Short mmCIF file of all heavy atoms in Angstrom, two decimals:
data_model
loop_
_atom_site.label_atom_id
_atom_site.label_comp_id
_atom_site.label_asym_id
_atom_site.label_seq_id
_atom_site.Cartn_x
_atom_site.Cartn_y
_atom_site.Cartn_z
N PRO A 52 102.66 -30.95 88.29
CA PRO A 52 103.64 -31.60 89.15
C PRO A 52 103.99 -33.02 88.69
O PRO A 52 104.20 -33.90 89.52
CB PRO A 52 102.92 -31.62 90.49
CG PRO A 52 101.49 -31.90 90.10
CD PRO A 52 101.29 -31.25 88.76
N PHE A 53 104.02 -33.29 87.38
CA PHE A 53 104.32 -34.62 86.87
C PHE A 53 105.82 -34.77 86.64
O PHE A 53 106.45 -33.90 86.04
CB PHE A 53 103.56 -34.87 85.56
CG PHE A 53 102.07 -34.90 85.72
CD1 PHE A 53 101.33 -33.74 85.63
CD2 PHE A 53 101.42 -36.09 85.97
CE1 PHE A 53 99.95 -33.76 85.77
CE2 PHE A 53 100.03 -36.13 86.11
CZ PHE A 53 99.30 -34.96 86.02
N THR A 54 106.37 -35.91 87.10
CA THR A 54 107.79 -36.21 86.94
C THR A 54 107.95 -37.49 86.13
O THR A 54 107.30 -38.49 86.41
CB THR A 54 108.48 -36.37 88.30
OG1 THR A 54 108.53 -35.12 88.97
CG2 THR A 54 109.91 -36.88 88.12
N LEU A 55 108.81 -37.43 85.14
CA LEU A 55 109.22 -38.62 84.40
C LEU A 55 110.56 -39.07 84.97
O LEU A 55 111.54 -38.32 84.94
CB LEU A 55 109.34 -38.32 82.91
CG LEU A 55 108.04 -37.98 82.18
CD1 LEU A 55 108.36 -37.60 80.72
CD2 LEU A 55 107.06 -39.13 82.22
N ALA A 56 110.60 -40.28 85.51
CA ALA A 56 111.82 -40.83 86.11
C ALA A 56 112.29 -42.02 85.27
O ALA A 56 111.49 -42.89 84.91
CB ALA A 56 111.56 -41.28 87.54
N ALA A 57 113.57 -42.03 84.95
CA ALA A 57 114.13 -43.12 84.14
C ALA A 57 115.48 -43.53 84.69
O ALA A 57 116.22 -42.70 85.23
CB ALA A 57 114.27 -42.68 82.68
N ARG A 58 115.77 -44.81 84.56
CA ARG A 58 117.08 -45.32 84.97
C ARG A 58 117.50 -46.43 84.03
O ARG A 58 116.69 -47.24 83.59
CB ARG A 58 117.04 -45.88 86.40
CG ARG A 58 118.39 -46.48 86.82
CD ARG A 58 118.37 -47.09 88.20
NE ARG A 58 117.60 -48.32 88.24
CZ ARG A 58 117.55 -49.13 89.31
NH1 ARG A 58 118.20 -48.80 90.41
NH2 ARG A 58 116.82 -50.24 89.28
N VAL A 59 118.80 -46.48 83.74
CA VAL A 59 119.40 -47.60 83.04
C VAL A 59 120.67 -47.98 83.79
O VAL A 59 121.42 -47.10 84.23
CB VAL A 59 119.69 -47.26 81.56
CG1 VAL A 59 120.65 -46.10 81.44
CG2 VAL A 59 120.22 -48.49 80.83
N LEU A 60 120.88 -49.28 83.98
CA LEU A 60 121.99 -49.75 84.82
C LEU A 60 122.62 -50.97 84.17
O LEU A 60 121.92 -51.85 83.67
CB LEU A 60 121.47 -50.10 86.22
CG LEU A 60 122.44 -50.67 87.25
CD1 LEU A 60 122.01 -50.25 88.65
CD2 LEU A 60 122.50 -52.19 87.20
N HIS A 61 123.94 -51.00 84.19
CA HIS A 61 124.64 -52.22 83.80
C HIS A 61 125.61 -52.59 84.92
O HIS A 61 126.37 -51.76 85.42
CB HIS A 61 125.45 -52.05 82.51
CG HIS A 61 126.35 -53.22 82.24
ND1 HIS A 61 125.87 -54.49 82.00
CD2 HIS A 61 127.71 -53.33 82.21
CE1 HIS A 61 126.88 -55.32 81.82
NE2 HIS A 61 128.00 -54.65 81.95
N TYR A 62 125.53 -53.84 85.33
CA TYR A 62 126.45 -54.36 86.34
C TYR A 62 126.91 -55.72 85.86
O TYR A 62 126.10 -56.60 85.57
CB TYR A 62 125.75 -54.47 87.69
CG TYR A 62 126.69 -54.77 88.84
CD1 TYR A 62 128.00 -54.28 88.86
CD2 TYR A 62 126.27 -55.50 89.94
CE1 TYR A 62 128.84 -54.53 89.92
CE2 TYR A 62 127.10 -55.76 91.01
CZ TYR A 62 128.39 -55.27 90.99
OH TYR A 62 129.23 -55.53 92.04
N GLY A 63 128.23 -55.89 85.72
CA GLY A 63 128.74 -57.14 85.19
C GLY A 63 130.06 -57.54 85.81
O GLY A 63 130.81 -56.70 86.31
N ARG A 64 130.31 -58.83 85.79
CA ARG A 64 131.57 -59.38 86.28
C ARG A 64 132.33 -59.93 85.08
O ARG A 64 131.79 -60.72 84.31
CB ARG A 64 131.28 -60.46 87.32
CG ARG A 64 132.51 -60.94 88.08
CD ARG A 64 132.15 -62.04 89.05
NE ARG A 64 131.30 -61.59 90.12
CZ ARG A 64 130.13 -62.15 90.43
NH1 ARG A 64 129.68 -63.17 89.72
NH2 ARG A 64 129.40 -61.69 91.43
N TYR A 65 133.57 -59.53 84.93
CA TYR A 65 134.38 -59.89 83.77
C TYR A 65 135.71 -60.49 84.25
O TYR A 65 136.07 -60.40 85.42
CB TYR A 65 134.64 -58.67 82.89
CG TYR A 65 133.40 -58.03 82.33
CD1 TYR A 65 132.69 -57.07 83.06
CD2 TYR A 65 132.92 -58.37 81.07
CE1 TYR A 65 131.54 -56.48 82.55
CE2 TYR A 65 131.78 -57.79 80.54
CZ TYR A 65 131.10 -56.84 81.29
OH TYR A 65 129.96 -56.26 80.78
N GLY A 66 136.45 -61.10 83.31
CA GLY A 66 137.76 -61.63 83.64
C GLY A 66 137.78 -63.14 83.67
O GLY A 66 136.77 -63.84 83.44
N ARG A 67 138.96 -63.67 84.01
CA ARG A 67 139.20 -65.11 83.94
C ARG A 67 138.23 -65.92 84.80
O ARG A 67 137.71 -66.95 84.38
CB ARG A 67 140.64 -65.39 84.39
CG ARG A 67 141.07 -66.85 84.26
CD ARG A 67 142.43 -67.04 84.91
NE ARG A 67 142.36 -66.85 86.36
CZ ARG A 67 143.42 -66.64 87.14
NH1 ARG A 67 144.63 -66.57 86.59
NH2 ARG A 67 143.28 -66.52 88.44
N ASP A 68 137.97 -65.47 86.02
CA ASP A 68 137.13 -66.23 86.94
C ASP A 68 135.77 -65.58 87.17
O ASP A 68 135.16 -65.76 88.22
CB ASP A 68 137.86 -66.37 88.29
CG ASP A 68 139.19 -67.11 88.15
OD1 ASP A 68 139.21 -68.14 87.46
OD2 ASP A 68 140.19 -66.64 88.73
N ALA A 69 135.30 -64.83 86.18
CA ALA A 69 134.05 -64.08 86.35
C ALA A 69 132.86 -64.99 86.62
O ALA A 69 131.91 -64.58 87.29
CB ALA A 69 133.79 -63.22 85.12
N GLU A 70 132.90 -66.22 86.09
CA GLU A 70 131.76 -67.12 86.27
C GLU A 70 132.15 -68.37 87.05
O GLU A 70 131.58 -69.45 86.85
CB GLU A 70 131.17 -67.48 84.91
CG GLU A 70 130.61 -66.26 84.18
CD GLU A 70 129.87 -66.62 82.91
OE1 GLU A 70 129.79 -67.82 82.57
OE2 GLU A 70 129.38 -65.69 82.24
N ASP A 71 133.11 -68.22 87.94
CA ASP A 71 133.45 -69.32 88.82
C ASP A 71 132.22 -69.73 89.63
O ASP A 71 131.44 -68.89 90.09
CB ASP A 71 134.58 -68.89 89.77
CG ASP A 71 135.09 -70.04 90.61
OD1 ASP A 71 134.46 -70.35 91.64
OD2 ASP A 71 136.13 -70.63 90.25
N GLY A 72 132.03 -71.02 89.80
CA GLY A 72 130.84 -71.52 90.47
C GLY A 72 130.69 -71.07 91.90
O GLY A 72 129.59 -71.13 92.47
N ARG A 73 131.77 -70.59 92.50
CA ARG A 73 131.69 -70.13 93.89
C ARG A 73 131.22 -68.69 94.02
O ARG A 73 130.94 -68.23 95.12
CB ARG A 73 133.05 -70.30 94.56
CG ARG A 73 133.43 -71.75 94.81
CD ARG A 73 134.87 -71.86 95.27
NE ARG A 73 135.81 -71.56 94.19
CZ ARG A 73 137.14 -71.55 94.33
NH1 ARG A 73 137.66 -71.83 95.52
NH2 ARG A 73 137.91 -71.29 93.31
N LEU A 74 131.15 -67.96 92.93
CA LEU A 74 130.67 -66.58 92.98
C LEU A 74 129.16 -66.56 92.80
O LEU A 74 128.61 -67.20 91.90
CB LEU A 74 131.34 -65.75 91.88
CG LEU A 74 132.83 -65.48 92.06
CD1 LEU A 74 133.37 -64.69 90.88
CD2 LEU A 74 133.10 -64.72 93.35
N PHE A 75 128.51 -65.80 93.62
CA PHE A 75 127.06 -65.72 93.59
C PHE A 75 126.61 -64.98 92.33
O PHE A 75 127.10 -63.90 92.03
CB PHE A 75 126.57 -64.95 94.82
CG PHE A 75 125.12 -65.15 95.12
CD1 PHE A 75 124.70 -66.28 95.80
CD2 PHE A 75 124.18 -64.23 94.73
CE1 PHE A 75 123.37 -66.47 96.09
CE2 PHE A 75 122.85 -64.41 95.01
CZ PHE A 75 122.44 -65.54 95.70
N PRO A 76 125.71 -65.54 91.54
CA PRO A 76 125.26 -64.85 90.33
C PRO A 76 124.38 -63.64 90.67
O PRO A 76 123.77 -63.59 91.74
CB PRO A 76 124.44 -65.93 89.60
CG PRO A 76 123.97 -66.84 90.68
CD PRO A 76 125.06 -66.85 91.72
N PHE A 77 124.33 -62.67 89.79
CA PHE A 77 123.45 -61.53 89.96
C PHE A 77 122.01 -61.98 89.69
O PHE A 77 121.74 -62.82 88.83
CB PHE A 77 123.83 -60.40 89.00
CG PHE A 77 125.24 -59.93 89.18
CD1 PHE A 77 126.06 -59.68 88.08
CD2 PHE A 77 125.77 -59.72 90.44
CE1 PHE A 77 127.36 -59.24 88.24
CE2 PHE A 77 127.07 -59.29 90.61
CZ PHE A 77 127.86 -59.04 89.51
N PHE A 78 121.06 -61.36 90.42
CA PHE A 78 119.66 -61.72 90.32
C PHE A 78 118.87 -60.51 89.86
O PHE A 78 118.84 -59.47 90.53
CB PHE A 78 119.14 -62.22 91.66
CG PHE A 78 117.69 -62.61 91.64
CD1 PHE A 78 117.24 -63.62 90.80
CD2 PHE A 78 116.77 -61.99 92.47
CE1 PHE A 78 115.90 -64.00 90.78
CE2 PHE A 78 115.44 -62.36 92.46
CZ PHE A 78 115.01 -63.37 91.62
N LEU A 79 118.22 -60.63 88.70
CA LEU A 79 117.52 -59.52 88.08
C LEU A 79 116.15 -59.26 88.71
O LEU A 79 115.58 -58.18 88.54
CB LEU A 79 117.35 -59.82 86.59
CG LEU A 79 116.83 -58.71 85.67
CD1 LEU A 79 117.80 -57.54 85.63
CD2 LEU A 79 116.61 -59.26 84.27
N GLY A 80 115.61 -60.22 89.46
CA GLY A 80 114.24 -60.11 89.95
C GLY A 80 114.06 -59.34 91.23
O GLY A 80 112.95 -59.37 91.79
N CYS A 81 115.08 -58.66 91.74
CA CYS A 81 114.91 -57.84 92.94
C CYS A 81 113.88 -56.75 92.67
O CYS A 81 113.78 -56.23 91.56
CB CYS A 81 116.23 -57.22 93.36
SG CYS A 81 117.51 -58.40 93.82
N SER A 82 113.15 -56.34 93.71
CA SER A 82 112.11 -55.33 93.53
C SER A 82 112.66 -53.97 93.15
O SER A 82 111.93 -53.12 92.66
CB SER A 82 111.27 -55.21 94.81
OG SER A 82 112.09 -54.83 95.91
N THR A 83 113.96 -53.74 93.37
CA THR A 83 114.58 -52.48 92.97
C THR A 83 115.10 -52.52 91.54
O THR A 83 115.62 -51.51 91.05
CB THR A 83 115.74 -52.12 93.91
OG1 THR A 83 116.67 -53.21 93.94
CG2 THR A 83 115.23 -51.86 95.32
N LEU A 84 114.98 -53.69 90.87
CA LEU A 84 115.46 -53.81 89.49
C LEU A 84 114.29 -54.03 88.54
O LEU A 84 113.87 -53.12 87.84
CB LEU A 84 116.48 -54.95 89.39
CG LEU A 84 117.76 -54.75 90.21
CD1 LEU A 84 118.65 -55.98 90.13
CD2 LEU A 84 118.52 -53.51 89.75
N VAL A 85 113.73 -55.25 88.49
CA VAL A 85 112.55 -55.52 87.67
C VAL A 85 111.46 -56.06 88.61
O VAL A 85 111.59 -57.17 89.14
CB VAL A 85 112.85 -56.52 86.55
CG1 VAL A 85 111.59 -56.80 85.74
CG2 VAL A 85 113.95 -56.00 85.64
N ARG A 86 110.44 -55.27 88.84
CA ARG A 86 109.37 -55.65 89.76
C ARG A 86 108.51 -56.77 89.18
O ARG A 86 108.35 -56.89 87.98
CB ARG A 86 108.51 -54.42 90.07
CG ARG A 86 109.18 -53.43 91.01
CD ARG A 86 108.56 -52.05 90.98
NE ARG A 86 109.03 -51.28 89.82
CZ ARG A 86 108.90 -49.95 89.73
NH1 ARG A 86 108.34 -49.26 90.69
NH2 ARG A 86 109.36 -49.33 88.65
N GLY A 87 107.98 -57.60 90.08
CA GLY A 87 107.11 -58.70 89.68
C GLY A 87 107.80 -60.04 89.55
O GLY A 87 107.15 -61.04 89.23
N TYR A 88 109.12 -60.09 89.83
CA TYR A 88 109.87 -61.34 89.67
C TYR A 88 110.62 -61.71 90.95
O TYR A 88 111.64 -62.39 90.90
CB TYR A 88 110.87 -61.21 88.51
CG TYR A 88 110.20 -61.10 87.16
CD1 TYR A 88 109.77 -59.87 86.68
CD2 TYR A 88 109.99 -62.22 86.36
CE1 TYR A 88 109.14 -59.74 85.45
CE2 TYR A 88 109.38 -62.11 85.12
CZ TYR A 88 108.96 -60.87 84.67
OH TYR A 88 108.34 -60.76 83.45
N ASP A 89 110.14 -61.26 92.09
CA ASP A 89 110.78 -61.59 93.35
C ASP A 89 110.84 -63.11 93.53
O ASP A 89 109.89 -63.83 93.22
CB ASP A 89 110.00 -60.96 94.51
CG ASP A 89 110.66 -61.21 95.84
OD1 ASP A 89 111.63 -60.50 96.15
OD2 ASP A 89 110.20 -62.12 96.56
N PHE A 90 111.98 -63.59 94.02
CA PHE A 90 112.19 -65.04 94.09
C PHE A 90 111.12 -65.74 94.92
O PHE A 90 110.65 -66.83 94.57
CB PHE A 90 113.58 -65.33 94.67
CG PHE A 90 113.88 -66.80 94.78
CD1 PHE A 90 114.23 -67.53 93.66
CD2 PHE A 90 113.80 -67.46 96.00
CE1 PHE A 90 114.49 -68.89 93.74
CE2 PHE A 90 114.07 -68.81 96.10
CZ PHE A 90 114.41 -69.53 94.96
N ASN A 91 110.70 -65.12 96.03
CA ASN A 91 109.72 -65.76 96.90
C ASN A 91 108.33 -65.82 96.28
O ASN A 91 107.42 -66.44 96.85
CB ASN A 91 109.66 -65.03 98.24
CG ASN A 91 110.93 -65.21 99.05
OD1 ASN A 91 111.49 -66.31 99.08
ND2 ASN A 91 111.41 -64.16 99.69
N SER A 92 108.12 -65.16 95.14
CA SER A 92 106.80 -65.18 94.51
C SER A 92 106.62 -66.35 93.54
O SER A 92 105.54 -66.55 93.01
CB SER A 92 106.55 -63.87 93.76
OG SER A 92 107.40 -63.75 92.63
N PHE A 93 107.68 -67.13 93.30
CA PHE A 93 107.60 -68.24 92.36
C PHE A 93 107.12 -69.51 93.06
O PHE A 93 107.33 -69.70 94.27
CB PHE A 93 108.97 -68.51 91.72
CG PHE A 93 109.35 -67.52 90.65
CD1 PHE A 93 110.06 -66.39 90.99
CD2 PHE A 93 108.99 -67.73 89.33
CE1 PHE A 93 110.42 -65.46 90.03
CE2 PHE A 93 109.35 -66.81 88.36
CZ PHE A 93 110.06 -65.67 88.71
N SER A 94 106.50 -70.37 92.30
CA SER A 94 106.09 -71.68 92.79
C SER A 94 106.56 -72.74 91.81
O SER A 94 106.86 -72.44 90.64
CB SER A 94 104.56 -71.75 92.97
OG SER A 94 103.91 -71.50 91.74
N ALA A 95 106.58 -73.98 92.25
CA ALA A 95 107.14 -75.06 91.43
C ALA A 95 106.34 -75.29 90.16
O ALA A 95 106.89 -75.69 89.13
CB ALA A 95 107.20 -76.34 92.25
#
């Protein structure tokens, strides 16, 4: 009953205003993306 599960995902913002300072940047450290990098786990 062994299952191999794999996922690959690309999400990007493109175009003239893709990196406007008012747009919230994507965060890779969510627990559903790369585990172990949750924002609340960091210290100064």
Side-chain angles (χ1 to χ4, degrees):
F53 295 88
T54 292
L55 294 175
R58 177 182 71 173
V59 60
L60 178 149
H61 171 63
Y62 190 33
R64 190 182 293 126
Y65 299 86
R67 185 188 67 196
D68 299 315
E70 297 187 0
D71 187 278
R73 289 171 290 178
L74 291 178
F75 198 81
F77 301 136
F78 180 60
L79 189 63
C81 297
S82 60
T83 55
L84 298 175
V85 179
R86 286 162 280 197
Y88 293 84
D89 183 79
F90 180 77
N91 292 319
S92 68
F93 284 91
S94 58

